[in-house]
Amino acid sequence: MVLESKIPEGPLAEKWSKHKFSLKLVNPANKRKYDIIVVGTGLAGASAAASLAELGYNVKAFTFHDSPRRAHSIAAQGGINAAKNYQNDGDSVYRLFYDTIKGGDYRAREANVHRLAEVSVNIIDQCVAQGVPFAREYGGLLANRSFGGAQVSRTFYARGQTGQQLLLGAYSALSRQVATGKVKMYTRSEMLDLVMVDGKARGIVTRNLVTGQIESHSAHAVLLCTGGYGNVFYLSTNAMYCNVTAAWRAHKKGALFANPCFTQIHPTCIPVSGDYQSKLTLMSESLRNDGRVWVPLKVGDKRKPEDIPEAERDYFLERKYPAFGNLVPRDVASRNAKYVCDEGRGVGSTGLAVYMDFADAIKRDSLKVIEARYGNLFEMYEKITGENPYNTPMKIYPAVHYTMGGLWVDYNLMTTIPGLYALGEANFSDHGANRLGASALMQGLADGYFVIPYTIGDYLAQMPYEKVSNDRAEFKDAEAKVKETINKILSIKGTRTVDELHRELGLLIWDYCGMSRTKEGLTSAREKVRALRNEFWTNVKVVGTNEEFNQTLEKALRLIDFIELGELMILDALDRNESCGGHFREEFQTPDGEALRNDQEYAYVAAWEYEQNMHAVLHKEQLKFENVTPSTRSYK
Amino acid sequence: MNLNLHIWRQPNGQSAGRMVEYNVKDISEEMSFLEMLDVLNEDLLRKGEDPVAFDHDCREGICGTCSLVINGRPHGPYTTTTCQLHMRSFKDGETVYIEPWRAKAFPLVKDLVVNRSAFDRIIQSGGYVSVNTGSARDANETPIGKEIADEAMNSATCIGCGACVAACKNASAMLFVSAKISQLAMLPQGKPERKRRAEAMVAQMDAEGFGACTNTGACAAECPKSISMSNIAMMNREYTSAKLTSDAV
Ligand SMILES: Cc1cc2nc3c(=O)[nH]c(=O)nc-3n(C[C@H](O)[C@H](O)[C@H](O)COP(=O)(O)OP(=O)(O)OC[C@H]3O[C@@H](n4cnc5c(N)ncnc54)[C@H](O)[C@@H]3O)c2cc1C
Ligand code: FES
């Protein structure tokens, strides 16, 4: 299989404009003859569904949530980047492009990233026009902050609830189209398979989560906007129900899965407190602007933080990275927190935490200023931990947060299956091996508002109007297979609960395919994950029936896909004999412990083809850097 | 700690429901309320019994999915969401009553899960600014005073959980509806459609079967996001002036 990225010819800054011109158009009067299925109504899906309906296409939108407003995008706190340069501090489309490519450790496509930076400015305009109440200055203009170590202030935000406000904006646009009848909305409806007719994506099979009814829906194209797979780790900052099922079922039908081992571990989360823990809470990265990260100098120092004098503290990020200090990229900050804890210098009851201290910031700027900046975050921290961060340092530890990997897509966002597109966190496209803060919201909305409305026309313009009936054998077969899987799971009646097995999977992936990986560890983990798959199919316990609201069955169906994905992540991590971004292989590091990238051999996108029993086949898309020269990321 | 739970069980909207008693043991103070229910559900599953269905997702207090009336109060004893309620707020040996949101406009799905799509239909009736993708002008061309932006943001923080409805003896949705109407009425972007919006959203709210507002303030008192009653006052003004000068025929 040859992977055609379809990157347009020409100078970087002109590629997208030229490409838009060369794409075929669907005549306005003919758009209503095409049906498009959009699975997922988070930022990517809601923005795509609304925009496509506005153009005149018939959209059917699906979400397993009870309302589109609940998608995980709602939880994003910090902000969204855009190259507006409102602050006159040297930002530009090119700088945002450059920062994103470099931040991704040179494992993303130049052309895609440049397009993302270009359309970023339109996103802010669009959202403001929808009534998104971004933070403003007294003069009435939009406020910006510097986020996640960026050297310019290009992040737009709405208090600590940026994702919520952006999603509610996209949801309002979607709701308006539902009211016009151009979007038919299916809530509590989960896609369980992709249906192909003559080699093209022509529909999906869903389960109605309230009644258990298995249904088929047909269309001329299918968009997967189904989010990331961070919950393969069980514990993550993702919402509990985020899952990989839609993407994975498409993968099994032929869509290649790219860079699955590129996962992001966020440095500032509230540490795990016990075995019952169901999810991890992110403390916004913006805290690193003022919080100083430290651990005791001595191993096993159990004194209270306020009893440890300055001279006996190790501000390890400031020490190792004087230029960037506490604002080093996420992967670097996370790994270093792990190192000090591995050395036995971690704090808190589990020893798996480091301090983030605001005492100096309060002394410098006053309590009032810090309260205005982080008030609601501090309050949230106190609610969860029972500790007041104004008086005592926060405890934080890294947690899984985002997945850069996802379905392989070309420049048009089409997967290797004709007519199947992937948008938002579900695709692999723009963040390479590490995502910069405030760039996921930007990408989701770029894909949905400003990319897919153009690129999908090119495909549809070449499709006949005829609809395929969902009575066809392809649909009936897919429905039958879904029912068979459900019946099989219900009939096992074993002894292990779904959560138990999921926790076990999560620990395995965290230990062996998390912040630091080795060939040996990965090889043994692969066997363990295979054994777990077997354990699932022989010993899982799910009660009840399909024909009812059955949350355990829902979870079981998602878990089995996570288990298979876990194995693919391991294969991918084994293949990549280098360290880059979120992927750190201990065998490949510099003498002072920094990541050692290998551009000679690994400057490629690893796109995996599904084969029975997880004998995945690797295809490589070579990355070409024509505008930036890959350099070693140095934050010293 | 050990707790004595009384939980509403109802297989679906068509059958009758009842309170069922359960005991949970060794609950840690650090657990969230939903993690306590997870423990109960794991126990039930191991015994081959049907776990208690409840809605949740983010467990961070922002998605608005979780619900539950706990000891008679939506989201429990504090103004927070159930997912952000921790077991340190309960005492060893305490009896806890757990029920679903109860409102005609929120039909029951199963156990503690209700259908809140009435809220979606209210937004569909007018809770938006009519602007197509691509037709926006530069974001800084319309300055908006910080005070107004902040005030709009206060209204916009509503998470659509429905606690206001569950708290109200009339099951009124005024707080939810008014928060959206106020947010958009305050902002220049929302002004052109404000009359139409107020009329349409209020009409949809009535059509869904939500009750009338008698200004008891129970909604705002229980709102996990502290949406204020002033939104309702603003909505009443919006609605009255829309009706007085209505363009609708
Ligand atoms: C706590 C947290 C904070 C974050 N903060 C930031 C930030 O400040 N800035 C930033 O840029 N990024 C941030 N991110 C990342 C960002 O929020 C996400 O990457 C982004 O919102 C993903 O959007 P999405 O539309 O791709 O997917 P989602 O919002 O996850 O939406 C997925 C949709 O797909 C549906 N779905 C999934 N599978 C199926 C199926 N099988 N059938 C039917 N429907 C399905 C779901 O119901 C949902 O509607 C944060 C992430 C987390 C976890
Ligand atoms: S689960 Fe999201 S608000 Fe409680």
Side-chain angles (χ1 to χ4, degrees), chain A residues 398-474:
Chain A
V400 177
H401 179 58
Y402 183 84
T403 52
M404 282 74 71
L407 290 175
W408 184 92
V409 289
D410 65 16
Y411 188 72
N412 294 325
L413 303 182
M414 202 196 285
T415 68
T416 48
I417 296 178
L420 180 71
Y421 293 79
L423 283 66
E425 196 174 337
N427 72 25
F428 88 105
S429 67
D430 298 351
H431 308 292
N434 174 54
R435 174 176 71 77
L436 292 183
S439 287
L441 301 180
M442 169 172 74
Q443 184 226 330
L445 291 179
D447 288 358
Y449 284 135
F450 296 111
V451 179
I452 198 73
Y454 291 90
T455 58
I456 202 167
D458 191 59
Y459 175 75
L460 292 175
Q462 303 169 59
M463 284 279 281
Y465 304 133
E466 279 147 61
K467 300 180 194 285
V468 293
S469 155
N470 54 6
D471 287 334
R472 288 176 66 116
E474 290 89 342

Side-chain angles (χ1 to χ4, degrees), chain B residues 34 56-66 81-83 159:
Chain B
L34 298 183
H56 67 100
D57 196 24
C58 75
R59 297 204 175 187
E60 279 188 18
I62 191 73
C63 72
T65 314
C66 64
T81 55
T82 296
C83 59
I159 57 174

Side-chain angles (χ1 to χ4, degrees), chain A residues 243-393:
Chain A
N243 69 82
V244 76
T245 288
W248 193 255
R249 302 291 162 107
H251 175 54
K252 290 177 95 163
K253 285 277 162 95
L256 300 198
F257 207 105
N259 298 338
C261 83
F262 287 166
T263 50
Q264 180 165 81
I265 316 257
H266 195 290
T268 58
C269 303
I270 299 179
V272 176
S273 64
D275 295 337
Y276 51 80
Q277 189 107 16
S278 58
K279 77 152 286 175
L280 296 171
T281 303
L282 174 82
M283 295 309 298
S284 168
E285 183 147 43
S286 59
L287 292 167
R288 286 205 277 148
N289 287 335
D290 288 297
R292 297 183 68 196
V293 176
W294 64 276
V295 288
L297 260 180
K298 280 192 304 245
V299 171
D301 187 339
K302 291 286 166 214
R303 284 178 291 176
K304 285 205 208 108
E306 40 286 12
D307 296 339
I308 303 181
E310 269 309 298
E312 293 173 47
R313 299 175 176 193
D314 179 12
Y315 294 89
F316 55 94
L317 292 176
E318 297 172 21
R319 171 171 59 80
K320 285 176 78 172
Y321 307 97
F324 279 69
N326 296 295
L327 293 172
V328 288
R330 293 175 175 179
D331 51 338
V332 179
S334 295
R335 206 152 43 240
N336 280 284
K338 175 180 162 30
Y339 289 157
V340 294
C341 293
D342 288 350
E343 287 164 25
R345 298 196 287 145
V347 300
S349 58
T350 58
L352 291 176
V354 300
Y355 291 126
M356 183 155 63
D357 200 333
F358 293 87
D360 288 341
I362 292 173
K363 238 181 271 158
R364 184 188 63 220
D365 294 342
S366 85
L367 189 81
K368 228 177 122 196
V369 169
I370 295 300
E371 197 180 332
R373 233 172 254 165
Y374 307 114
N376 46 4
L377 293 170
F378 279 29
E379 210 177 287
M380 173 165 110
Y381 180 85
E382 188 172 358
K383 255 186 206 159
I384 296 175
T385 63
E387 287 182 350
N388 178 345
Y390 293 105
N391 304 332
T392 185

